[in-house]
Amino acid sequence: MNAMNPNSSASSSSSTGSAESPFGAAQYDVVVIGGGPAGSTTATLTAKAGLSTLLLERDRFPRFKIGESLMPECWSTLERLGMIDQLKSSRFVEKHSVQFVSSSGKESDPFFFAESDVIDHPQTWQVVREEFDTMLFDNAVAHGAEAHQEVGVREVLFDGDRAVGVKTRSRDGESYEIGARVVVDASGQNALMARRLKLQEDDPKLRNASIFTHFKGGHRDEGLNEGATVVLHTQRGESWFWYIPLPDDVVSVGVVGPLDYLVKGRSGTPQEIFDEEVALCAGIQRRIAGAEQMEPPKVLRDFTYRSRQRAGDGWVLVGDAFGFVDPLYSSGVFLALKSGEMAADAIVDSFEADDLSATRLGAFNGEFLKGMEAVRKLVYAFYDQDFSIARFLKQHPDQRENVVHVLVGNVFRPNLDPLFEPMAAMTHLPEAWVDAS
């Protein structure tokens, strides 16, 4: 087996070290690269369907991740994974609402999910990702997936144009070739296959960065709005803050802005830049007054991107390994869960049809891209300083329900074209990404 070489021939699985293989088999139906939300979801559902599934995670859980807020529409996938009762009994903060704060510090009324008839499950959670991701990974094991931590995938192995396995390397340096009838790349923003096959394309309008940290003792509203995600504009409108309540009186606070403005266009340390942005945001100042910052700020590139191809013969991309949309509406975990679910269904159908072609494995991509596009379009509208959702809805009150669909993640079932046609007359919206699978 050779890596990423469309003209190579496959050889038998082998170890380059002397230790006995830690894997239960030399060949699996499905090998999943990455144990985050997308990979664990795929592995859970393919294992439940009776496919031999190997799940490989290069780190050891628990490991830090940002992105704590779940969209309400995560519920249906989490329910299918059998995790709702576990989440209900967890220490995670319940999220019933979202709230927006203007550049002047004026707070909108909270939007409570229960007030909308279009939301099936009007409550979700603000999660600690270290714990939430561990729960998902353990859930895959509980449903029959063979899972290993601290095992990285160095290469995807090909026989001609078909993926046939992976080459792994453990933390102790041992390397093995493992055969697979389907390889699922859930490697996150490392995007192992999309980068090596040169499939990734960025959205030039959404090249943002974030600087974030956690505070203890930040302000919380009372009642159902206590766990709200709050989006706060800064004075000049060039950046915005997220404010997400977590367990143990902790809040996640991050500022997002164009890379050239927030990082490249500034001198100073991440802490100094973060403090400068706080000084431009009255709403954040009030919320963290007297709170204790728990660690130095971290910097993350938040580029919006996607792969031009979802699947190939014997392989499929899920989660951030396929694409990512700006963190504004907390869509990251939702799109990861949903892509993992859709990919698992496509894989199971492909095995039943004995057809592991790109067409069959990527059959869900058109539907998925349409939903991802809806989120991206609403993000574009938000970043237009001359556009206002409130003003748009005043002119088009019949579109309120469709806006709610996007905000809660209900982007795969309804036809949202009637929302974006009038919106395009008031702001620039992106050209649709083409389904190239």
Side-chain angles (χ1 to χ4, degrees):
M1 287 182 269
N2 291 305
M4 304 298 183
N5 183 348
N7 299 311
S8 65
S9 297
S11 63
S12 60
S13 299
S14 62
S15 168
T16 60
S18 58
E20 183 179 351
S21 171
F23 306 110
Q27 175 80 25
Y28 294 83
D29 292 326
V30 181
V31 171
V32 181
I33 307 167
S40 291
T41 296
T42 308
T44 298
L45 297 177
T46 56
K48 282 181 67 174
L51 301 177
S52 60
T53 301
L54 177 66
L55 176 61
L56 302 174
E57 168 58 42
R58 69 173 185 171
D59 296 321
R60 174 157 291 279
F61 290 104
R63 81 281 193 270
F64 174 79
K65 284 285 183 181
I66 198 66
E68 301 101 336
S69 191
L70 303 186
M71 280 180 146
E73 282 297 313
C74 289
W75 185 290
S76 62
T77 304
L78 293 168
E79 185 173 47
R80 188 172 172 193
L81 294 173
M83 294 187 61
I84 294 298
D85 288 342
Q86 192 175 356
L87 286 163
K88 285 181 177 179
S89 63
S90 74
R91 69 192 191 101
F92 300 149
V93 174
E94 292 185 2
K95 173 184 170 183
H96 295 269
S97 58
V98 296
Q99 190 171 9
F100 294 86
V101 181
S102 73
S103 57
S104 67
K106 181 180 179 181
E107 301 191 359
S108 70
D109 291 332
F111 171 73
F112 290 101
F113 304 136
E115 294 175 353
S116 175
D117 293 334
V118 308
I119 302 176
D120 293 332
H121 301 286
Q123 181 244 304
T124 182
W125 292 272
Q126 312 283 25
V127 300
V128 179
R129 284 292 302 276
E130 295 98 308
E131 299 173 24
F132 178 70
D133 289 9
T134 301
M135 290 166 60
L136 286 166
F137 188 84
D138 291 344
N139 189 62
V141 175
H143 284 89
E146 179 185 338
H148 296 263
Q149 301 180 52
E150 297 185 293
V151 176
V153 172
R154 298 176 59 199
E155 301 168 339
V156 175
L157 305 172
F158 277 75
D159 183 4
D161 291 330
R162 179 173 297 277
V164 293
V166 298
K167 178 178 284 187
T168 69
R169 181 176 290 277
S170 62
R171 194 168 291 272
D172 60 11
E174 294 293 338
S175 181
Y176 300 91
E177 293 184 1
I178 304 298
R181 295 187 66 192
V182 173
V183 175
V184 178
D185 185 359
S187 60
Q189 294 196 7
N190 291 322
L192 176 66
M193 294 188 71
R195 289 182 188 275
R196 295 194 183 182
L197 296 175
K198 302 186 186 306
L199 296 172
Q200 195 172 94
E201 60 180 0
D202 292 341
D203 184 326
K205 296 290 187 180
L206 296 176
R207 296 173 63 85
N208 292 330
S210 60
I211 303 175
F212 57 88
T213 184
H214 291 87
F215 287 83
K216 194 172 185 66
H219 171 79
R220 295 181 189 234
D221 290 331
E222 297 180 351
L224 286 180
N225 205 43
E226 178 184 357
T229 292
V230 186
V231 175
L232 307 99
H233 294 261
T234 55
Q235 288 175 11
R236 295 196 294 258
E238 294 180 279
S239 57
W240 62 273
F241 276 87
W242 75 67
Y243 191 87
I244 298 173
L246 298 173
D248 301 327
D249 200 25
V250 173
V251 289
S252 173
V253 182
V255 60
V256 180
L259 182 69
D260 289 343
Y261 163 77
L262 195 64
V263 179
K264 291 184 177 181
R266 306 280 275 274
S267 60
T269 66
Q271 183 69 63
E272 290 169 337
I273 297 172
F274 183 85
D275 291 342
E276 289 170 3
E277 292 297 310
V278 168
L280 295 172
C281 187
I284 280 292
Q285 293 171 35
R286 181 180 73 82
R287 283 173 168 77
I288 63 174
E292 175 190 358
Q293 185 175 330
M294 300 177 66
E295 70 269 322
K298 298 179 177 66
V299 181
L300 186 67
R301 190 185 80 161
D302 290 327
F303 285 14
T304 294
Y305 65 89
R306 68 112 194 201
S307 169
R308 291 188 299 275
Q309 189 173 338
R310 163 71 69 180
D313 294 344
W315 61 268
V316 63
L317 311 181
V318 297
D320 287 356
F322 171 75
F324 174 79
V325 177
D326 188 274
L328 173 61
Y329 296 120
S330 303
S331 63
V333 174
F334 166 69
L335 292 175
L337 292 171
K338 203 66 185 179
S339 66
E341 179 183 12
M342 290 180 170
D345 288 343
I347 291 167
V348 172
D349 288 345
S350 296
F351 271 90
E352 291 177 350
D354 195 24
D355 177 5
L356 304 180
S357 66
T359 300
R360 194 89 190 199
L361 290 171
F364 68 99
N365 193 45
E367 178 187 5
F368 184 85
L369 266 183
K370 189 172 183 180
M372 190 175 179
E373 278 292 302
V375 177
R376 188 167 71 112
K377 287 177 180 178
L378 209 60
V379 169
Y380 261 60
F382 174 89
Y383 282 116
D384 181 353
Q385 295 183 34
D386 297 324
F387 177 81
S388 164
I389 284 285
R391 187 169 65 250
F392 171 78
L393 290 177
K394 187 174 181 178
Q395 294 185 26
H396 302 280
D398 58 312
Q399 293 305 316
R400 184 181 185 278
E401 183 174 299
N402 280 332
V403 170
V404 173
H405 276 303
V406 180
L407 291 176
V408 302
N410 188 20
V411 293
F412 298 109
R413 286 173 287 180
N415 176 17
L416 296 171
D417 291 341
L419 167 64
F420 294 115
E421 289 166 1
M423 189 176 289
M426 297 178 66
T427 185
H428 169 70
L429 297 180
E431 294 293 328
W433 273 326
V434 177
D435 178 5
S437 289

